[in-house]
Amino acid sequence: MSVAVAELATRSRVHYLNESYGVKSWLLTTDHKRIAILYMVSITFMFLVGACAAALMRIQLLEPAGAIVQPETYNKLFSIHGIIMVWFFLIPSIPAVLGNFLIPMMIGARDVAFPKLNLLSWYIYIIGACFILYTLIYGGVDTGWTFYTPYSSTYSNSHVFGAAAGVFIVGFSSILTGLNFIVTVHKMRAPGMTWFRLPLFIWSLYATSIVLVLATPVLAITLSLMAMERFLHIGIFNPAIGGDPLLFQHLFWFYSHPAVYIMVLPAMGVISELVAAYSRRRVYGYAFVAFSSFAIALIAFLVWGHHMFVSGQSVYAGMVFSALSFLVAIPSGIKVFNWTATLYKGSNSYDAPMLYALGFLGLFTMGGLTGLFLASLSIDVHLHDTYFVIAHFHYIMVGGSVMAYMGGLHYWWPKMTGRLYPDKWARFAAFTIFIGFNLTFFPQYILGYLGMLRRYAVYPAQFQALNVLSSAGASILGVGYFIPLVYLIWSMRYGREAGPNPWRAKGLEWETASPPPRENFEETPIVTEEAYAYPTRPRAVRV
Amino acid sequence: MIQVFNFGIATAASLFFPLHPPAASTIAPQVDYLYYFLTAFTLFFTFLIFAFIFYFMVKYRRRSEDEVPEEVKVSIPLELTWTLIPTAICALIFFWGSSLFFRNARPPANSMEVFVVGKQWMWQLQHANGAREINELHVPLNVPVKLTMTSEDVIHDFFVPAFRVKEDVLPGRYTSIWFQATKLGSFMFECAQMCGAFHSSMHGEVIVMKPDDFAHWLATNAPSQTMSSAGGQLFSQLGCASCHQEDSSGKYPQLAGIYGHQVTLRNGARATVDEGFLRSAIVNPNSEPVAGYSVSMPSFQGQINEVQLLDLIAYIKTLGAARKEAAIQ
């Protein structure tokens, strides 16, 4: 009976989801929580489009001669898969969904610093996405997500402009979101919320925002130059009219390598929260974890040349970029060791978000360590542009970032919706994703060293067995992603009432109701303790 | 220890499927050795992290909802340990990988030269004696071979997995790789840089032959003209000879013996005359003008294709050779 009463209480309570109804109340909202939901729906849709492209690719590669499509179509599939997954799913995923929802609540604010700008970022994202969908429907783009010149600027007959325009536009969405977060963290913290009391999620999103604001304009410039070259033949990248095709690669990777960290730093922030909440202790080495985010953000700007070891760049430049690439691995290692150490003498639970976090630790470790192969010059010569590279960055981007996004979504879902999902299904899905992921991408490491090249629509017959294994894994992975889609939607109506703090976790976001009221807190909280102030008992003294 | 471990995983896994492509060049075993070291290192650390996670998750599992965990103080020595040990290992791998790369960066002086032109979607290869091949490359066993490569259109990449060599092939400039084959047989080469619709069909085979067989093959496939004699013909056809002749009283650059020498540019910089320098001097003569000559040369951009350019450069290189030999004697 008491459950029914509580249910009634939540229904009658006014919160951000039920304070107003109707399409207009959503499309004109300036509430950071509603904007987060808008982003969540949009990026889930784009993820499904990108995943369909991946599914078709894995079907194509079941047979060495290509099972279903012409090579030209295959090129369009991997291009759209890359463009959508990088710019329309991974980059906005954790920052724009979880970041938008949580940053103000975690620092005790009512909203972000510029709520209208926040809504504008979402509209810019939608305009960019429309360009991409237009490109897809009207014939696609075949340059790969990297748009290398002079192929993109002179030789491709596909819709390069539409795709580049979409990416150009969505970049401004990133810049505005980054700007908003930086100002919010500086100016909107509640009384007592000092920098070293901030949750590590805030630290890592702050570092991400700096990279977003500094790196994304370079992408905009690069793509504009490419488009100008394509239409006006101004001779920047085409050597036939005095340009330099490698200049594009330098500019592109000057953005796109930091972009890798735009995708993975927020994931690291989520993992810090999950590990702390489910082991009920402060993250081990808080300051080391916080500052390693900044070390990563800084060095990320200096390693772009490791994408160009075989491009004809000088041997000495290659050596400098190789050394810096090894250096950027160290702070990531520090984080993994600290998270693992947090589990030591913790009160560790096996809730679904924790399983995602542990999955992240394993997969990110493998992804990071295989990155050392690619940072090493003479091995990269052999592995460059092979499936080894594909496997490596999917371990980071999918094994790392998507696992963290899923973990974060499960952790904060009760806060966002006020409901709990079925925990058994959630744990089952986490396992399925982990198994499916490894089956899909582990064989690709071996394929890569054997010499199977990326972006190949047809391939030598001796690689078939491993490719079939990989495609089989992809189907399991697909099922793993489908299950949460079903039970999360189901839980919005039928899930158990969560209450304000179902995990008994620390953090300001858990001190307000679920779902939170429009203003987040009934009254502005005053912070008196550090993040993760979980109770501990003194060390046992041996007698 | 590591060697034994490497050998162990290599043999265990190779019972099911191969773990590396054939190792058929001098550098291939060296690259494989570093690869297996890194694989062992990766497996070790992955298992280490997994083992700690499993141990902590089981030993310190939550036993009751109200459990209060024991206090743990952050240990700075521990933080330093897991910062410094990985840094040291990374430094080791960096030096290992870089020194291998650096040692193999320059082709030996006695390398046999082959010229490669990539275009959508085929490879044209040419030997110094003029013998041409399409999507096939015949080379002798145990002889260093240097490939000088360029593209007619987009960026391609010449990759021979069995030799562990790969380099982008760019329009408008020359890049080069070299290898020394150590096994007879034919080995796949592929385009590694996405170059359009039929990118994945842009492949061919390197055929490694015994030196005698190769000499025979080369002789039977020799056309009437070597690259340099074809270049000589172009040299007079295109009117190069009218300015670049022996007695032009210092008005125009002398080409005899210029290959491999340093020249001073008008902006004061020094440049070595190599294939790339000669190429840009022909198609884009005013980009790096040589000091001391006031007359500007017309550009041959668009009037001459990449194969002809290589012929012309081969001819210019022979202009020096005769003089050098004379000087040595």
Side-chain angles (χ1 to χ4, degrees):
Chain A
M1 199 193 81
S2 63
V3 174
V5 172
E7 182 124 346
L8 201 66
T10 319
R11 289 244 173 93
S12 57
R13 190 173 61 79
V14 176
H15 51 74
Y16 84 104
L17 288 171
N18 70 3
E19 55 146 11
S20 54
Y21 291 97
V23 175
K24 203 175 145 193
S25 77
W26 281 88
L27 293 184
L28 295 179
T29 183
T30 52
D31 181 357
H32 66 100
K33 299 183 289 300
R34 283 196 166 196
I35 294 170
I37 304 290
L38 290 176
Y39 265 115
M40 186 169 72
V41 173
S42 332
I43 70 163
T44 306
F45 174 74
M46 292 307 271
F47 178 82
L48 291 176
V49 178
C52 285
L56 291 173
M57 284 155 68
R58 282 317 325 168
I59 296 171
Q60 166 83 352
L61 296 175
L62 282 170
E63 285 175 21
I68 45 170
V69 294
Q70 293 297 312
E72 243 175 311
T73 313
Y74 182 79
N75 292 355
K76 290 174 178 172
L77 286 174
F78 69 66
S79 302
I80 209 72
H81 171 73
I83 290 169
I84 287 182
M85 290 307 200
V86 169
W87 284 295
F88 293 88
F89 176 71
L90 281 166
I91 288 180
S93 63
I94 295 174
V97 178
L98 301 177
N100 249 327
F101 196 91
L102 292 160
I103 288 178
M105 284 207 276
M106 282 181 165
I107 63 173
R110 296 180 153 204
D111 207 319
V112 291
F114 308 114
K116 287 180 185 164
L117 206 59
N118 201 14
L119 182 64
L120 179 65
S121 321
W122 180 73
Y123 276 103
I124 294 174
Y125 172 89
I126 293 295
I127 295 169
C130 288
F131 268 87
I132 296 300
L133 295 175
Y134 154 81
T135 303
L136 182 64
I137 291 163
Y138 281 84
V141 61
D142 70 347
T143 58
W145 76 282
T146 48
F147 296 107
Y148 270 19
T149 57
Y151 184 70
S152 61
S153 56
T154 310
Y155 289 87
S156 172
N157 292 319
S158 61
H159 293 259
V160 178
F161 182 75
V167 174
F168 176 87
I169 291 167
V170 82
F172 288 92
S173 165
S174 301
I175 295 170
L176 295 182
T177 301
L179 191 70
N180 221 335
F181 287 173
I182 292 173
V183 179
T184 305
V185 173
H186 270 280
K187 305 302 281 186
M188 310 282 283
R189 282 171 289 131
M193 181 55 95
T194 60
W195 283 89
F196 286 95
R197 284 177 179 169
L198 287 172
L200 287 163
F201 182 75
I202 302 288
W203 278 96
S204 65
L205 273 177
Y206 183 79
T208 309
S209 301
I210 291 174
V211 181
L212 276 172
V213 170
L214 293 181
T216 317
V218 180
L219 174 72
I221 294 165
T222 314
L223 292 175
S224 320
L225 288 175
M226 190 268 285
M228 281 200 262
E229 178 93 359
R230 194 167 164 87
F231 290 111
L232 307 173
H233 311 288
I234 48 178
I236 293 177
F237 302 125
N238 185 358
I241 43 177
D244 180 348
L246 279 187
L247 177 63
F248 178 87
Q249 294 178 30
H250 282 292
L251 291 169
F252 181 81
W253 290 114
F254 185 81
Y255 161 79
S256 287
H257 197 81
V260 170
Y261 293 99
I262 294 172
M263 295 181 251
V264 85
L265 276 171
M268 293 167 160
V270 170
I271 297 305
S272 294
E273 298 305 311
L274 298 185
V275 169
Y278 293 101
S279 67
R280 297 236 174 109
R281 60 163 56 260
R282 191 169 200 252
V283 173
Y284 192 87
Y286 173 98
F288 290 90
V289 177
F291 285 116
S292 60
S293 293
F294 284 89
I296 290 171
L298 180 73
I299 306 170
F301 278 101
L302 305 173
V303 298
W304 79 89
H306 70 209
H307 297 270
M308 300 170 64
F309 286 157
V310 300
S311 69
Q313 96 183 341
S314 105
V315 177
Y316 301 100
M319 285 172 76
V320 172
F321 283 123
S322 169
L324 287 164
S325 306
F326 278 106
L327 202 60
V328 80
I330 307 295
S332 301
I334 292 173
K335 281 176 188 279
V336 170
F337 291 127
N338 277 298
W339 289 321
T340 308
T342 307
L343 303 177
Y344 174 64
K345 293 193 177 177
S347 170
N348 303 331
S349 84
Y350 293 86
D351 292 298
M354 183 61 150
L355 296 186
Y356 280 107
L358 299 178
F360 172 98
L361 285 183
L363 300 179
F364 180 76
T365 301
M366 285 191 65
L369 287 167
T370 50
L372 298 181
F373 289 67
L374 299 169
S376 176
L377 280 164
S378 45
I379 299 224
D380 182 71
V381 169
H382 180 65
L383 292 176
H384 182 86
D385 270 340
T386 67
Y387 264 77
F388 192 95
V389 178
I390 304 290
H392 157 69
F393 74 73
H394 280 87
Y395 265 77
I396 301 286
M397 305 280 83
V398 185
S401 300
V402 181
M403 286 297 256
Y405 175 66
M406 295 295 286
L409 206 57
H410 282 78
Y411 176 54
W412 284 295
W413 187 258
K415 183 54 61 184
M416 297 169 101
T417 64
R419 304 281 180 163
L420 285 166
Y421 45 82
D423 197 56
K424 273 185 189 157
W425 277 105
R427 277 187 265 182
F428 175 69
F431 262 111
T432 312
I433 291 174
F434 186 80
I435 305 284
F437 175 83
N438 279 302
L439 262 177
T440 311
F441 293 104
F442 194 84
Q444 297 185 2
Y445 281 125
I446 300 162
L447 275 174
Y449 201 74
L450 288 173
M452 165 104 186
L453 288 160
R454 70 190 294 193
R455 299 175 171 177
Y456 260 32
V458 299
Y459 59 86
Q462 73 260 31
F463 299 144
Q464 191 176 9
L466 287 164
N467 266 304
V468 170
L469 192 60
S470 181
S471 295
S475 60
I476 298 175
L477 186 60
V479 172
Y481 286 134
F482 185 71
I483 301 169
L485 194 66
V486 174
Y487 67 68
L488 286 179
I489 292 173
W490 176 89
S491 77
M492 284 197 283
R493 192 174 175 91
Y494 303 105
R496 257 188 321 123
E497 287 284 327
N501 191 359
W503 317 118
R504 298 171 68 178
K506 290 283 176 179
L508 291 182
E509 78 269 29
W510 300 109
E511 286 177 17
T512 187
S514 312
R518 171 69 178 87
E519 308 295 337
N520 295 342
F521 302 95
E522 300 293 333
E523 51 190 79
T524 304
I526 293 166
V527 183
T528 54
E529 55 185 18
E530 55 182 28
Y532 322 117
Y534 290 96
T536 52
R537 59 190 160 84
R539 243 176 104 187
V541 183
R542 276 201 204 128
V543 183
Chain B
M1 233 301 275
I2 291 163
Q3 260 174 310
V4 173
F5 185 60
N6 281 345
F7 182 73
I9 47 170
T11 25
S14 61
L15 295 176
F16 301 101
F17 44 78
L19 279 185
H20 57 74
S25 74
T26 45
I27 67 158
Q30 303 169 14
V31 173
D32 286 350
Y33 190 62
L34 175 54
Y35 173 77
Y36 282 120
F37 172 78
L38 273 167
T39 305
F41 169 75
T42 299
L43 291 175
F44 174 77
F45 269 92
T46 307
F47 282 122
L48 188 75
I49 293 287
F50 270 81
F52 273 113
I53 290 174
F54 275 118
Y55 180 71
F56 291 158
M57 283 305 288
V58 173
K59 175 124 197 253
Y60 304 109
R61 69 184 177 277
R62 188 174 298 166
R63 284 155 214 269
S64 78
E65 255 312 298
D66 300 313
E67 186 177 65
V68 175
E70 193 182 304
E71 185 185 354
V72 173
K73 285 231 161 40
V74 174
S75 151
I76 300 295
L78 187 60
E79 293 280 354
L80 288 177
T81 309
W82 64 45
T83 307
L84 295 179
I85 290 178
T87 309
I89 298 173
C90 281
L92 170 79
I93 302 167
F94 165 72
F95 282 112
W96 189 345
S98 295
S99 66
L100 197 55
F101 181 71
F102 203 69
R103 267 211 308 277
N104 292 304
R106 284 186 208 293
N110 61 342
S111 301
M112 182 187 110
E113 286 205 279
V114 177
F115 300 88
V116 180
V117 177
K119 57 180 175 185
Q120 289 177 326
W121 290 276
M122 60 179 283
W123 295 100
Q124 292 180 314
L125 301 104
Q126 191 170 19
H127 295 264
N129 79 339
R132 288 173 197 275
E133 307 187 63
I134 303 273
N135 292 344
E136 264 189 356
L137 171 61
H138 289 78
V139 294
L141 185 70
N142 290 328
V143 172
V145 177
K146 179 195 173 195
L147 307 185
T148 301
M149 313 183 291
T150 190
S151 162
E152 290 268 17
D153 39 50
V154 300
I155 299 177
H156 301 281
D157 185 296
F158 194 88
F159 175 36
V160 192
F163 296 167
R164 315 286 188 273
V165 291
K166 177 187 289 143
E167 182 83 4
D168 280 3
V169 177
L170 295 139
R173 71 178 71 176
Y174 295 126
T175 54
S176 70
I177 47 172
W178 76 276
F179 55 81
Q180 183 170 333
T182 54
K183 280 182 187 159
L184 293 172
S186 62
F187 304 98
M188 174 176 64
F189 66 79
E190 308 169 277
C191 178
Q193 183 63 264
M194 218 291 286
C195 60
F198 298 101
H199 165 54
S200 49
S201 306
M202 193 172 159
H203 53 75
E205 284 194 332
V206 186
I207 295 144
V208 182
M209 310 169 89
K210 285 183 189 149
D212 292 346
D213 296 346
F214 176 74
H216 179 71
W217 177 88
L218 201 59
T220 46
N221 284 277
S224 53
Q225 274 186 319
T226 63
M227 282 180 77
S228 57
S229 63
Q233 215 167 36
L234 276 170
F235 196 77
S236 51
Q237 267 172 23
L238 294 168
C240 312
S242 55
C243 295
H244 297 287
Q245 53 187 332
E246 286 284 346
D247 53 346
S248 61
S249 58
K251 221 173 153 193
Y252 310 105
Q254 294 293 299
L255 299 182
I258 201 160
Y259 180 79
H261 277 248
Q262 285 219 322
V263 290
T264 307
L265 304 180
R266 214 177 279 168
N267 64 11
R270 312 253 315 149
T272 304
V273 180
D274 55 8
E275 282 95 349
F277 183 90
L278 288 174
R279 188 189 182 285
S280 80
I282 296 167
V283 298
N284 203 1
N286 298 317
S287 65
E288 291 182 310
V290 176
Y293 304 99
S294 53
V295 184
S296 62
M297 177 179 136
S299 163
F300 285 83
Q301 177 90 54
Q303 304 180 36
I304 169 171
N305 67 30
E306 293 295 344
V307 174
Q308 291 172 317
L309 260 172
L310 286 165
D311 288 344
L312 207 50
I313 291 166
Y315 172 69
I316 294 168
K317 283 157 80 171
T318 61
L319 291 176
R323 181 183 285 189
K324 254 185 212 160
E325 273 166 32
I328 290 163
Q329 284 161 6

